[in-house]
Amino acid sequence: MEIKSITLKNIGLFEHLELPLAPTPQNPSNITVFVGNNGAGKTSILNALTISLSWFIARLSTEKGHGSYIAEDDILNGANGATIKVQVCDSVETSVYPDNTARDNDVQWTIAKTKKGRKTNYNSQLTDCSRLASYYRNALSQDAQVSLPLIAFYPVERVVLDIPLKIRTKHTFLQLDAYESSLSQGVDFRRFFEWFREREDAENESGISDEVLNQLKPLAETHQDIWQVLKELQASAKDRQLTAVRTAIRRFMPHLDNLRVRRKPCLYMAVDKNGETLNVAQLSQGEKSLMALVGDIARRLAMLNPALENPLIGDGIVLIDEVDLHLHPSWQRRLCDRLLDTFPNCQFILTTHSPLMISDCKNILVYALNNGKIQELPSQYGQDVNTVLLDVMDTSIRDPEFESKLNDLLDAIQDSNLSQAHQLLRELMAEPTHQNNLELVKAKLLLRKQELRHASHS
């Protein structure tokens, strides 16, 4: 499943906005990125997508289910009503159709809202949404192992809670439970930990745990045939869903490995970091945030695709607001590529403030927003960060006051106004933090060359 386009009327800052989303013929990757200042409307677009997709999830669960509604506060000031329309492409299983013929299922639906006491011609149109959800319910009725599309939204206020020492509430982790809070809560280590522990308990019951295998290793290594049988038994009992989660986290964070639940001396989630075993709670906020995000996407894919040998190739739609939040610049550089490598059939719609996110990945679709206006940008792949900051994000690469004085200094050197140049240089060098500034070092060299040139002509 993927969203081909979204059309907004009177939503947030947008009076009328129609946007195709990647993949497109010009941008074949599965990633669309929105950039812009705070308040430019990036989150409004993600929220609109969330409202529309919530109706598909609701009607997949029950025939007459209700999703989220447009809030009156989301309607453009001065407008009487608003609409959100999405066009979705979904290739439905062959068995769903009466004539057993698979086909690309292009559908669209509209969510409308009229302000109280006003009148408009806007009406919600949910026939296609209900029809698509009905197709999936039919498929589930015929085959409980059929794959379902992932739909998830991770807001800026995504939650990363501490892992609980005790689990007091019993939860179900059935296939449709993968949609629980998928559009409202973001990431939650508590639910992730409970799911992980339940799967690992089942994995250990059906096979040999790593701890037991390590204890048997000294005894069994003298009998290689027995040792080989034990390792094969362990490998065959590995839980497919847990393997998917561990694989996804390892691809994003190669320095972390072997995520597992430890039960002694107390219950906690452990991970090996550069060969050292740590409690996940000991990781940095950035590490925990990324692990929770990637782990949650992989967990939901694993639950929704119970028959896939590799659930990470399942399809779906993932919305992430400020995807660069808490991430080191080196992680920001690789994030888009790793999303595509790890979840190749998911469509990602992201917002960011990081120039590295759009300059280090090929074929992504980038939109720049500014006060309700939107512009599709040419590829920024290979551009240096300063160029992206200046040209795309309209942000100076230096402090504006320092930039102005530096330009005055360079102009004075160029005009051979040496006394003024020396005065400006002294003022700039008065700040201790400027002593080793590369631009000032260059300016000093230029000034010295200009002085030598004048001396040779005198």
Side-chain angles (χ1 to χ4, degrees), residues 69-81:
Y69 295 92
I70 300 171
E72 285 209 11
D73 289 343
D74 293 334
I75 299 175
L76 179 70
N77 288 340
N80 293 323

Side-chain angles (χ1 to χ4, degrees), residues 206-221:
S206 61
I208 304 171
S209 69
D210 289 333
E211 293 181 14
V212 172
L213 193 66
N214 288 332
Q215 292 172 5
L216 294 174
K217 186 175 182 179
L219 300 174
E221 278 187 329

